[in-house]
Amino acid sequence: MYKRIMSALWMLLAVQSQAAEEALTIDSVVPSHMELAFPNDAKVYPDSSDFTVLNTVLMSNDSGERFATVTLKNQSSGRRTLTQKHLLALTANGQRIMPMELSEHFNGGETLSLTLSFGESKFPLLQVYTRN
């Protein structure tokens, strides 16, 4: 019994490891000026911040993992910390999801590009945004 459990755990770890190493492909580009009007009945919003999204590159793999390379600017003159609560991604079914755990320091006026994981989703990401 113990051997079966350990064998199953090793197989699960191998599958997860393999999925984490799959190549990413860039998803179709959605113009940043395109207006999307999905209802937000759950009232899900990112926390207010001094960050603005300058551009995004949306990516995924065959396992349904969703990623985005996001270029953000700290519009404040002071040092700020970006967390996952400051960003949301909009999926093709209208769901809003936060990136996985994140804590990145920005100096005043600094611009940085970060690659963020949004976990697995059947639906592609359409947009990543902040709230000022």
Side-chain angles (χ1 to χ4, degrees), residues 47-105:
D47 285 356
S48 293
S49 71
D50 292 316
F51 298 101
T52 187
V53 174
L54 300 178
N55 57 58
T56 59
V57 177
L58 306 173
M59 301 169 288
S60 63
N61 63 25
D62 289 338
S63 296
E65 292 176 303
R66 306 295 172 188
F67 295 86
T69 297
V70 183
T71 302
L72 297 132
K73 181 172 183 160
N74 175 9
Q75 294 185 325
S76 169
S77 59
R79 185 173 168 92
R80 298 289 185 264
T81 301
L82 176 75
T83 70
Q84 69 272 13
K85 293 181 180 181
H86 295 125
L87 293 166
L88 280 180
L90 179 66
T91 65
N93 68 341
Q95 182 181 8
R96 280 118 176 124
I97 55 177
M98 282 186 202
M100 305 308 262
E101 200 165 321
L102 166 68
S103 181
E104 189 71 38
H105 302 289

Side-chain angles (χ1 to χ4, degrees), residues 3 17 20 35 53 79 81 85-86 92 99 107-110 116 118 122-123 132:
K3 287 183 180 181
S17 174
E35 189 171 327
V53 174
R79 185 173 168 92
T81 301
K85 293 181 180 181
H86 295 125
N107 291 322
E110 185 175 22
L116 308 172
F118 287 86
K122 177 176 161 181
F123 296 94
N132 302 91

Side-chain angles (χ1 to χ4, degrees), residues 45 93 112 122 125-126:
Y45 301 101
N93 68 341
L112 288 175
K122 177 176 161 181
L125 301 181
L126 298 177

Side-chain angles (χ1 to χ4, degrees), residues 3-21:
K3 287 183 180 181
R4 281 187 183 174
I5 292 172
M6 291 306 291
S7 178
L9 285 174
W10 280 111
M11 287 175 50
L12 179 62
L13 287 173
V15 169
Q16 287 178 340
S17 174
Q18 183 181 13
E21 294 178 12

